[in-house]
Amino acid sequence: FILEELYIPFKFYLNALQKHTPHEVFQRKKATTTLKEDKKSKFWIANSRSTTCHWIPDASQTFDAVVHFIQSGSGTGVHVGGGRIITCAHVVDSQDDDGADEDEIPKRVGRKKIVMFSDGRIFEAKCVAVKENVDGTSDVAVLMLGNEVIIDNESKNNVGELASAELAVVSPVFEDRLFTVGNPSKIDLESAERDSIEFDPPIFHLS
């Protein structure tokens, strides 16, 4: 369980940060081409071709505030300050959810996850609030950062205030420019086969 839930995903993320330098890719404003809605799944999906988006804002209040959940059943979230992480409720999953009644919403509050920032800093996080319904039209969770996970002497040097994003005060309107940071492919990020993920970088990818 520990191998599948923590070690393999953690190794994948750490190697991806070191080999693919997603922060540098973001600074060059390289992103996938425009996402399109898959009519069957209703998900917004990108292809692996890249383009330059000169309008992408500075990383300090956007990219640097993004976290990846580095356990099996991955996802992304964003730090909005005060240790609060906003993500999708379904990201706060558990192996106990497998085989559960589809009409039953899991009890996610109180669950703990492990998150990684793009600079490699790792934290425990606990779910403190959820708004979710069965059909998925409401799918939001808030987690609070807890203890930092120190894995080696190098990580001890990554100190200082964590980057945070500022929440918008108005909703976007049609033709507004939007971007996401995460994994736009259909492939599970925890896949041990790097070649099965066509996006580079495979994590913290700009779309």
Side-chain angles (χ1 to χ4, degrees), residues 19-198:
K19 293 180 180 180
H20 300 277
T21 58
H23 192 276
E24 294 180 10
V25 176
F26 185 92
Q27 288 182 314
R28 296 201 305 269
K29 302 184 184 297
K30 287 291 185 180
T32 58
T33 52
T34 304
L35 278 74
K36 295 183 179 180
E37 185 180 14
D38 182 87
K39 299 302 182 182
K40 184 176 181 180
S41 68
K42 300 301 182 181
F43 289 116
W44 288 84
I45 299 173
N47 60 50
S48 57
R49 296 193 303 272
S50 65
T51 186
T52 302
C53 299
H54 296 288
W55 56 271
I56 295 296
D58 181 73
S60 62
Q61 290 185 315
T62 53
F63 181 89
D64 294 344
V66 175
V67 299
H68 260 299
F69 288 75
I70 59 171
Q71 291 160 272
S72 61
S74 181
T76 54
V78 60
H79 179 230
V80 295
R84 296 182 299 274
I85 301 291
I86 294 180
T87 187
C88 294
H90 71 262
V91 171
V92 191
D93 64 350
S94 168
Q95 288 191 348
D96 294 338
D97 298 341
D98 295 340
D101 189 336
E102 293 183 357
D103 294 329
E104 181 181 350
I105 297 176
K107 296 180 180 179
R108 305 187 193 276
V109 173
R111 290 181 177 179
K112 294 183 179 180
K113 305 294 281 185
I114 305 294
V115 299
M116 175 187 284
F117 284 81
S118 63
D119 62 0
R121 294 180 72 179
I122 303 169
F123 291 83
E124 298 175 357
K126 182 178 180 180
C127 183
V128 296
V130 171
K131 186 174 183 181
E132 180 181 16
N133 57 22
V134 173
D135 64 11
T137 55
S138 183
D139 184 26
V140 182
V142 178
L143 293 88
M144 286 296 297
L145 294 177
N147 294 327
E148 185 166 4
V149 179
I150 304 297
I151 58 172
D152 54 30
N153 289 330
E154 183 177 347
S155 62
K156 291 181 180 179
N157 298 325
N158 284 338
V159 296
E161 187 175 351
L162 294 169
S164 61
E166 183 178 350
L167 291 176
V169 295
V170 295
S171 299
V173 297
F174 184 68
E175 293 189 340
D176 275 355
R177 286 172 167 173
L178 303 174
F179 69 95
T180 64
V181 177
N183 170 42
S185 77
K186 299 178 182 179
I187 305 298
D188 288 338
L189 282 175
E190 298 79 22
S191 171
E193 299 295 330
R194 169 63 184 91
D195 291 339
S196 65
I197 302 176
E198 70 270 33

